[in-house]
Amino acid sequence: MTIQQHRAGQKIREWREAHSPPLNAEEFGAQYGAPGRWPSRTVYGWEVKGKIARAAVQMRLSQLGVCKPEDWLTPAQAPVIAERPVATPAPAADFYDAHRHGFVRIATSTPQVRTADVAFNRDAVLAEAQRAHSAHVDLVVYPELCVSSYAIDDLHLQAALLDAVEMAVGAIISASASLSPMLLIGAPLRRNGKLFNCALAIAGGRLLGVVPKSFLPNYREYYEKRWFAHGRSVVGQEMTVAGHSAPFGTDLIFAAANLPGFKVFAEICEDYWSPNPPSTVGALAGATILANLSASNVTIGKSDERHMLARAQSSRAIAAYAYCASGHGESTTDLSWDGQGMIYEMGDLLAESERFSLDAQLSIADVDCDRILSERMRNQTFNDAAEAEDCPENRFRTVSFEHKFTGGDVGLHRPIRRFPFVPGRAHRLDEDCYEAFNIQIDGLMRRMTATKAKSIVIGVSGGLDSTHALVVAAKTCDRLGLDRKMIKGFTMPGFGTSDYTKSNAWKLMKAMGISAQEIDIVPAATTMLEDIGHPFADGEPVYDVTFENVQAGLRTDYLFRLSGQHDGFVLGTGDLSELALGWCTYGVGDQMSHYGVNAGVPKTLIQYLIRWAVQTSQFDAATDDVLTAILNTEISPELVPADERGAMQSTESKIGPYELNDFFLHHIIRWGQRPSKVAFLAYHAWKNAGEGQWPADFPEAKKNEYDLATIRMWLEKFLWRFFQFSQFKRSALPNGPKVSAGGALSPRGDWRAPSDAVADVWLQELKNGVPEG
């Protein structure tokens, strides 16, 4: 059935988009709906489904100048197709602006506080706001009741104190007009004969809204119900504070109209400890940043509990979670305070304040709201949960404000892992590396028991991949109580094989105690090159792809025939990085095997796991020596003879450093990020080897750095290889275990893509979004 669209819907869409700033359907309905807000689905119904608004709505839209009543009966005009403008590269300043890439800078602030001294506390709040302004912070989260102070007991019910609090709030609102951050402060506020423990959102001289605390603790040392009314049923209301009227309720999301993704929901202290925190529904309603204004006295172990809750809530709600507790200066009549502030994003700790400090604390981190929204888009469970909650976005009120953020290059306050596939938790390094090894071992064990194979056939080159695969195979035999001699290792030197790597292959096979044999493929390769009339057979030094693939194909062919001869299966050695780049020979080549044990392990992780195995003495000294030698060898396919200077064929000089390629791969397959953002992150991760964190025990000599031009060059090559060149090889990928949460490329698992796609979209975005130098 053809949908008959009308001119009114067309005008509504045009009016929204022409609004400054442009309004989405939800914001339009929230700001202009009368007598109640118009849900986004209703607005879209008018615009794209031809639905007719009721008479009162038609009149409201006519009064606003959006459309006339007769427009509802007039067919929509055919759109004018304008000539598509040629995209131009973004200015360099835009590239270096973190906001452009979806980052929002947030801070937790534990200001100086003095018990019941409202004027002192007001000035302390503003002092931290000014400090945050100077640091280009977008959002500051303060402790619970920071204006009055928390531990004042029945003084909460004193009219003089409450009057002073309201005057202080008014002063803070006025002062905020010259400050860039949005402030979330805590204060006790009166309404209709009730006192509420509130979070106040303030920005640009406006009181944006007031959120009451939902759950009031009234057990052990807490007795908040003595003073406060709960806010669980407070929705859709208004409140006036110091002459400023604003929405009041637990149904509020504060959204920057000019910074997509900057959407904040606030809850207060005990809300965080409840079985069903209000922030869960806040996230389902669209908030990306969840803020907790807390007092929370400190006891032994409570810091760990707060970390656990913040990590869990940020992970479960797919959000950022900023938590800020009261600090030194609160009354210590019966309790003490540590001033803990922390910022989590989807389970990752980004920043944490100093606890028990006598000084005010401002803990800052750049939160990636773009990454949060990307993950929600991928995680249908999140969206199903929102639907199960009857779509909270339809009943929540969005309070829009124009955010006065600082553009340009203000740095990046955020830890970025140079090696995103490598275990990054130093305190759990052994456990993570053990787990990585055993995922592969367990997968291979199951394949062996399922096939009842009598042997494992593997090509051993003396390179990283075959070394790691052999280590996994040997450990698998040990776990199954099998003699390692069942592993049939074959080194197959070709035209470019060096004596050094061949020697390492033999040393490794001997150290592992497997069955070892050498098959020289040069005669067979020469015969094949002669048979197909390749110039090399006539003495010409032509080392093209055919020359290389003849050798790669023969090795695989031998391995498959040997697996039949020995009643076993071929263990693949190719890794995730090579699959991403298509750096493998398709079909009868190293792309194929019976089981690809390394298919989910990128090159950087293989290097790290082997290095960890040596450093933790997982093997004997002889094995450690050969593993170290292999780690220090130039990565090369060794398919082309050395040149006149003895230089071997270098993989990374052709396809780029694996450490950069793995960085690109992680951010593209795991988060679907734009090339310009990948380049931005890579620039901040790799621009200075002396800054940031490196994996534990990473060799100093291997700590590299790259400038933006280099990053851009290799990213361009990666994008073409990944999106346009190599998918057909991944579509025919043998079985193999997924190892990292960063993703794998199996067409049966993480990654499904057409083999005949083109990379133009990604290459153009890179060209437009990243300066050349």
Side-chain angles (χ1 to χ4, degrees):
M1 181 178 69
T2 302
I3 296 175
Q4 181 64 47
Q5 295 184 352
H6 43 64
R7 182 65 177 135
Q10 195 173 36
K11 283 187 173 182
I12 293 170
R13 172 66 64 89
E14 292 169 353
W15 194 86
R16 283 199 299 106
E17 294 178 347
H19 196 278
S20 182
L23 297 174
N24 61 37
E26 179 185 0
E27 293 167 340
F28 172 72
Q31 289 190 32
Y32 296 103
R37 62 183 298 277
W38 301 320
S40 58
R41 64 177 182 272
T42 300
V43 176
Y44 284 128
W46 300 332
E47 292 181 355
V48 300
K49 295 184 179 180
K51 293 189 176 181
I52 306 294
R54 61 185 186 273
V57 172
Q58 292 186 25
M59 186 60 64
R60 168 71 171 161
L61 290 168
S62 179
Q63 292 169 349
L64 291 170
V66 178
C67 60
K68 299 176 181 179
E70 56 265 29
D71 290 328
W72 295 94
L73 301 177
T74 305
Q77 297 177 354
V80 177
I81 307 299
E83 182 178 350
R84 187 172 64 178
V86 177
T88 55
D94 287 349
F95 171 79
Y96 293 106
D97 183 355
H99 293 100
R100 177 185 171 233
H101 301 288
F103 291 98
V104 174
R105 182 163 296 175
I106 65 179
T108 61
S109 170
T110 307
Q112 297 280 358
V113 63
R114 199 153 65 188
T115 307
D117 191 337
V118 175
F120 179 92
N121 297 341
R122 173 203 63 205
D123 294 344
V125 165
L126 288 173
E128 286 300 279
Q130 183 61 56
R131 193 152 68 110
H133 172 85
S134 300
H136 311 296
V137 170
D138 299 306
L139 168 69
V140 187
V141 181
Y142 289 88
E144 177 182 16
L145 298 174
C146 60
V147 177
S148 60
S149 61
Y150 176 84
I152 58 175
D153 299 332
D154 287 352
L155 300 186
H156 283 304
L157 299 176
Q158 289 291 310
L161 181 131
L162 295 174
D163 290 343
V165 165
E166 189 162 341
M167 291 177 61
V169 168
I172 294 171
I173 294 171
S174 298
S176 73
S178 61
L179 300 171
S180 60
M182 170 186 163
L183 311 178
L184 278 175
I185 65 171
L189 296 176
R190 295 163 290 188
R191 185 180 187 276
N192 289 347
K194 297 178 182 179
L195 182 65
F196 293 93
N197 181 342
C198 297
L200 294 82
I202 298 169
R206 285 178 59 196
L207 176 62
L208 302 179
V210 181
V211 180
K213 189 172 183 176
S214 291
F215 296 98
L216 303 174
N218 225 62
Y219 53 87
R220 297 199 300 272
E221 64 263 46
Y222 307 111
Y223 37 99
E224 286 190 29
K225 291 181 181 179
R226 180 180 176 94
W227 316 301
F228 299 115
H230 74 77
R232 292 192 297 276
S233 58
V234 179
V235 294
Q237 297 185 16
E238 301 286 321
M239 173 182 277
T240 299
V241 184
H244 298 267
S245 295
F248 175 54
T250 57
D251 57 340
L252 300 178
I253 289 178
F254 306 101
N258 54 337
L259 202 59
F262 184 6
K263 294 187 174 183
V264 183
F265 176 87
E267 62 185 4
I268 303 172
C269 201
E270 185 71 10
D271 295 346
Y272 182 52
W273 271 270
S274 73
N276 186 20
S279 58
T280 299
V281 180
L284 294 175
T288 54
I289 300 170
L290 312 177
N292 188 298
L293 295 76
S294 180
S296 187
N297 63 294
V298 64
T299 54
I300 296 172
K302 197 166 188 180
S303 172
D304 289 342
E305 183 181 5
R306 295 171 185 151
H307 273 293
M308 175 191 69
L309 292 170
R311 182 184 181 193
Q313 187 65 349
S314 68
S315 181
R316 181 183 297 110
I318 311 181
Y321 200 97
Y323 173 91
C324 190
S326 297
H328 179 78
E330 286 284 359
S331 172
T332 58
T333 300
D334 292 299
L335 306 171
S336 288
W337 317 86
D338 64 339
Q340 184 172 23
M342 53 190 170
I343 301 168
Y344 274 87
E345 178 186 308
M346 291 166 52
D348 297 328
L349 178 62
L350 301 184
E352 184 177 13
S353 66
E354 178 187 347
R355 297 170 61 213
F356 299 106
S357 174
L358 299 182
D359 301 319
Q361 291 289 298
L362 191 70
S363 185
I364 300 173
D366 289 329
V367 164
D368 191 346
C369 293
D370 183 58
R371 184 174 85 122
I372 291 167
L373 293 172
S374 173
E375 181 66 359
R376 289 181 180 180
M377 181 175 65
R378 283 166 170 71
N379 190 317
Q380 295 306 314
T381 301
F382 181 90
N383 297 309
D384 287 346
E387 185 177 343
E389 284 287 332
D390 196 26
C391 300
E393 65 179 307
N394 292 333
R395 61 179 185 270
F396 268 63
R397 291 178 288 171
T398 298
V399 182
S400 296
F401 66 100
E402 193 75 18
H403 179 46
K404 300 184 296 184
F405 66 89
T406 303
D409 186 1
V410 295
L412 191 66
H413 286 269
R414 178 185 181 86
I416 302 177
R417 291 169 61 186
R418 291 177 169 92
F419 297 89
F421 288 105
V422 170
R425 304 180 298 177
H427 65 291
R428 300 189 65 176
L429 179 63
D430 288 347
E431 179 182 337
D432 289 345
C433 290
Y434 167 85
E435 196 167 54
F437 263 118
N438 279 277
I439 290 169
Q440 293 179 272
I441 291 168
D442 188 75
L444 184 54
M445 286 171 57
R446 181 69 186 97
R447 184 50 54 100
M448 288 178 67
T449 56
T451 60
K452 298 180 173 57
K454 293 183 172 57
S455 70
I456 297 174
V457 175
I458 182 172
V460 182
S461 67
L464 287 167
D465 293 345
S466 63
T467 295
H468 186 66
L470 180 54
V471 168
V472 170
K475 291 290 188 181
T476 300
C477 287
D478 296 346
R479 289 276 298 276
L480 291 172
L482 300 173
D483 190 339
R484 288 186 182 181
K485 291 293 183 182
M486 77 164 296
I487 302 172
K488 311 296 181 183
F490 295 88
T491 183
M492 293 176 279
F495 297 114
T497 303
S498 68
D499 291 339
Y500 182 72
T501 54
K502 187 171 76 170
S503 172
N504 282 339
W506 272 105
K507 289 177 182 177
L508 181 65
M509 291 189 290
K510 182 178 179 181
M512 289 293 168
I514 69 171
S515 300
Q517 188 176 336
E518 181 175 319
I519 298 175
D520 185 356
I521 67 166
V522 169
T526 301
T527 298
M528 182 174 285
L529 291 168
E530 289 173 350
D531 290 344
I532 65 175
H534 192 275
F536 180 80
D538 294 327
E540 296 183 38
V542 177
Y543 309 127
D544 57 8
V545 172
T546 301
F547 176 82
E548 295 184 358
N549 284 350
V550 162
Q551 298 170 78
L554 276 170
R555 286 175 175 141
T556 303
D557 201 0
Y558 273 117
L559 292 174
F560 271 94
R561 305 297 77 78
L562 287 162
S563 70
Q565 182 180 357
H566 294 284
D567 197 11
F569 63 83
V570 177
L571 188 65
T573 61
D575 64 45
L576 182 67
S577 306
E578 294 178 342
L579 288 167
L581 296 159
W583 191 249
C584 51
T585 301
Y586 181 74
V588 185
D590 52 326
Q591 178 261 352
M592 188 50 62
S593 65
H594 286 120
Y595 191 70
V597 73
N598 287 342
V601 190
K603 191 79 75 178
T604 50
L605 180 54
I606 286 176
Q607 290 171 315
Y608 193 80
L609 290 174
I610 294 174
R611 188 177 294 116
W612 171 81
V614 172
Q615 291 171 339
T616 56
S617 301
Q618 300 291 314
F619 308 102
D620 58 28
T623 305
D624 288 348
D625 287 343
V626 68
L627 291 177
T628 301
I630 291 168
L631 276 171
N632 293 328
T633 302
E634 172 89 18
I635 298 174
S636 171
E638 292 196 329
L639 296 171
V640 174
D643 62 21
E644 60 274 8
R645 294 172 298 177
M648 297 299 298
Q649 184 182 18
S650 171
T651 297
E652 292 183 296
S653 66
K654 185 174 180 64
I655 62 174
Y658 275 113
E659 55 195 11
L660 282 184
N661 283 322
D662 284 357
F663 187 95
F664 303 154
L665 176 64
H666 173 85
H667 289 281
I668 285 172
I669 68 168
R670 180 63 184 88
W671 308 113
Q673 289 169 336
R674 300 173 185 85
S676 59
K677 183 170 182 176
V678 175
F680 176 82
L681 292 169
Y683 170 72
H684 280 281
W686 291 97
K687 65 180 179 178
N688 188 335
E691 296 179 352
Q693 294 182 343
W694 291 87
D697 301 318
F698 196 87
E700 284 293 329
K702 294 185 179 292
K703 292 182 177 179
N704 299 317
E705 60 184 50
Y706 302 97
D707 60 22
L708 182 60
T710 302
I711 290 168
R712 189 183 192 273
M713 175 187 70
W714 290 122
L715 179 53
E716 182 178 11
K717 294 181 184 297
F718 175 90
L719 294 171
W720 181 83
R721 295 189 71 95
F722 183 76
F723 286 107
Q724 185 160 325
F725 166 70
S726 56
Q727 180 58 40
F728 76 100
K729 299 181 181 181
R730 297 189 289 268
S731 294
L733 185 66
N735 296 162
K738 177 180 176 178
V739 174
S740 168
L745 293 172
S746 168
R748 300 166 296 276
D750 282 301
W751 185 256
R752 295 165 176 83
S755 295
D756 46 7
V758 294
D760 295 6
V761 167
W762 294 270
L763 294 171
Q764 190 65 45
E765 202 281 337
L766 177 74
K767 180 180 179 181
N768 295 342
V770 183
E772 295 186 8

